[in-house]
């Protein structure tokens, strides 16, 4: 069975065992909480060094990458990623609010997984806090916004000095990132055990209400992905110059492959055929499409925000508009920072920064990881649709 299948099975068995046995034995619940907590702590200890190292090395290499991709493509992809984050920021809170959670369930989850204490700053304080006075203190406190801003500035500066001198700093950071990936991979090998233990704790504390929450979360994932896919049709029509019906017919084969394989890379031949039907020269599509598949997923920023907002919603943690505004750029930056990371590692690295800014309890992150395979099919279809729309936009005026 593939790894995601084992995670879902562990989640279901843990929930069921927690609902049935949890109320009868507090000792079992405590043991499950200890096992799940230790596993989660091993996962969380990698977040700050992994995100910092990935952002610095990624931004430092962005200068050469920009020359290879072309300025127009970077602008197009950045605009679509911003659209993704804004759609999630506007849609997700009211969609989650449509399914109120029982106070009993919320109190139980808060007791099992106490959320981090996050003070909501004023607008002035939020702007001042963007510049880290003490980067070590920011890292120790888990303050992701100033940490990522410092990483962006450091990466930009390293990208502008002599490559030989920059390599002296970038090589250790790349080694740090690689080592964190190895650690996360090792921790995720026993993910079914940790997820089962955490699910047992949730099932014992929240009962069947937790299943209803996860079902609503998955439904919101589908809605957001469908909205983004629909927006790509409008983008292809307005800025790509393709008639809607022509774009729909050209995209359908690639979308079918995406839905069945959940792999954007597997759809590349079908996408190349689709762009040919839309009149994009083969030479241009052959350059733009593979790069878009490699570096661009329109659902990544929306998913990072959605996961954080959903965990806060589940635990009854209020999220202020200021926090959402601060989380939007983090969700976009993390999209580029996790390029080339394995799926489960990229999920943790991409969603944790925004979730921390939103004050969401990261203890629920493994549960979101376990069910991520279910909405991934719809997200992959949206990603493929966006790749085609972006290719049309880049090629139109070249």
């Amino acid at each position: 069975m593939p790894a995601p299948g084992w995670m879902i099975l562990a989640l279901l068995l843990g929930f069921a065992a927690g609902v049935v046995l949890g109320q009868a034995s507090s000792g079992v619940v405590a043991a499950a909480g200890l096992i799940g907590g230790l596993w989660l702590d091993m996962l969380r200890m990698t977040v700050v060094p992994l995100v910092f190292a990935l952002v610095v090395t990624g931004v430092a290499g962005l200068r050469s990458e920009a020359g290879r991709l072309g300025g127009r493509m970077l602008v197009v992809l950045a605009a679509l990623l911003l659209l993704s984050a804004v759609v999630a920021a506007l849609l997700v809170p009211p969609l989650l609010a449509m399914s109120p959670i029982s106070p009993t369930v919320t109190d139980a989850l808060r007791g099992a997984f106490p959320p981090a204490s996050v003070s909501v700053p004023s607008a002035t304080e939020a702007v001042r806090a963007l510049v880290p006075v003490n980067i070590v203190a920011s890292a120790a406190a888990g303050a992701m916004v100033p940490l990522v801003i410092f990483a962006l500035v450091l990466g930009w500066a390293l990208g502008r000095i002599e490559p030989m001198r920059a390599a002296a700093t970038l090589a250790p950071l790349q080694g740090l990132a690689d080592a964190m990936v190895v650690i996360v991979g090792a921790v995720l090998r026993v993910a079914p055990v940790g997820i089962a233990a955490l699910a047992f704790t949730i099932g014992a504390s929240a009962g069947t209400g937790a299943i209803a929450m996860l079902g609503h979360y998955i439904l919101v994932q589908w809605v957001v992905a469908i909205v983004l896919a629909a927006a790509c049709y409008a983008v292809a029509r307005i800025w790509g110059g393709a008639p809607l019906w022509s774009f729909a017919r050209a995209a359908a084969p690639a979308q079918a492959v995406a839905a069945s394989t959940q792999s954007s890379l597997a759809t590349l031949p079908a996408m190349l055929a689709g762009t040919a039907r839309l009149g994009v020269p083969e030479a241009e599509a052959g350059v733009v499409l593979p790069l878009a598949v490699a570096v661009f997923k329109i659902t990544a920023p929306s998913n990072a925000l959605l996961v954080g907002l959903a965990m806060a919603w589940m635990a009854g943690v209020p999220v202020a508009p200021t926090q959402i505004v601060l989380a939007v750029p983090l969700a976009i930056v993390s999209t580029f920072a996790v390029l080339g990371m394995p799926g489960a590692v990229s999920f943790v690295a991409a969603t944790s920064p925004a979730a921390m800014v939103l004050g969401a309890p990261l203890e629920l992150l493994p549960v979101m990881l376990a069910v991520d395979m279910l909405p991934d099919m719809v997200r992959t279809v949206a990603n493929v649709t966006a790749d085609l729309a972006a290719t049309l936009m880049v090629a139109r005026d070249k």
Side-chain angles (χ1 to χ4, degrees):
M1 185 187 300
W6 285 112
M7 291 183 188
I8 292 179
L9 181 61
L11 179 70
L12 295 176
L13 292 177
F15 268 138
V19 172
V20 174
L21 304 175
Q23 300 298 329
S25 175
S26 59
V28 176
V29 175
L34 175 62
I35 294 171
L38 286 174
W39 177 80
L40 181 64
D41 288 343
M42 289 190 291
L43 192 63
R44 292 179 61 180
M45 72 180 181
T46 64
V47 170
V48 170
L50 176 62
V51 171
F52 179 78
L54 288 176
V55 171
V56 173
T57 54
V59 173
L62 192 61
R63 186 179 176 188
S64 59
E65 188 74 3
R68 187 165 65 90
L69 294 178
R72 181 176 176 80
M73 185 171 185
L74 286 178
V75 171
V76 168
L77 298 188
L80 291 175
L81 291 173
L82 178 60
L83 171 66
S84 171
V86 171
V87 166
L90 296 176
L91 283 185
V92 172
L95 287 175
L96 292 175
M98 291 175 65
S99 179
I101 301 176
S102 166
T104 304
V105 174
T106 300
D107 292 341
L109 284 176
R110 276 180 167 175
F113 306 106
S117 177
V118 176
S119 60
V120 180
S122 65
T124 302
E125 292 171 336
V127 174
R128 288 288 303 273
L130 294 177
V131 179
V133 177
N134 186 335
I135 190 60
V136 176
S138 297
M144 295 303 299
V145 174
L147 183 68
V148 170
I149 286 179
F150 177 75
L152 287 169
V153 173
L154 178 60
W156 171 81
L158 289 171
R160 298 186 67 84
I161 65 177
E162 183 182 324
M164 292 287 291
R165 298 171 62 191
T169 301
L170 290 174
L173 287 175
Q174 186 60 60
L176 175 63
D178 294 342
M180 292 300 103
V181 170
V182 171
I183 294 174
V184 173
V187 174
L188 289 176
R189 287 193 188 98
V190 293
V193 176
I195 289 173
L198 292 171
F200 184 94
T201 306
I202 294 174
S205 58
T208 56
I211 298 176
M213 288 191 305
L214 286 176
H216 186 69
Y217 159 72
I218 293 171
L219 180 61
V220 173
Q221 282 267 22
W222 289 342
V223 170
V224 172
I226 290 171
V227 169
L228 288 175
C232 291
Y233 282 83
V235 167
R237 176 67 188 95
I238 298 172
W239 290 286
L244 283 179
W245 178 243
S246 298
F247 181 77
R249 288 199 305 170
Q255 291 170 337
V257 175
S260 59
T261 64
Q262 298 180 30
S263 169
S264 297
L265 186 60
T267 66
L268 189 55
M271 284 196 287
L272 288 169
T275 53
R277 294 182 63 178
L278 292 170
V280 178
E282 182 179 353
E284 295 180 2
V287 172
V288 176
L289 263 180
L291 291 173
V293 171
V295 305
F296 172 64
K297 285 182 173 59
I298 194 173
T299 60
S302 62
N303 188 55
L305 281 175
L306 201 163
V307 169
L309 289 169
M311 292 192 297
W313 163 73
M314 290 177 179
V317 178
V319 178
T322 304
Q323 290 172 279
I324 297 178
V325 170
L326 292 175
V328 164
L330 278 184
I332 297 173
V333 169
S334 63
T335 296
F336 293 103
V338 300
L339 293 178
M341 296 292 102
V345 178
S346 67
F347 180 90
V348 174
T351 57
S352 296
M356 293 171 72
V357 171
L358 296 170
L362 292 185
E363 289 76 8
L364 294 175
L365 193 60
V367 178
M368 317 305 265
L369 172 62
V371 301
D372 190 62
M373 184 178 71
L374 299 176
D376 190 49
M377 177 179 69
V378 184
R379 291 205 306 265
T380 306
V381 172
N383 289 333
V384 166
T385 309
D387 288 338
L388 289 168
T391 302
L392 285 176
M393 291 176 65
V394 173
R396 182 179 183 183
D397 295 326
K398 285 189 69 172

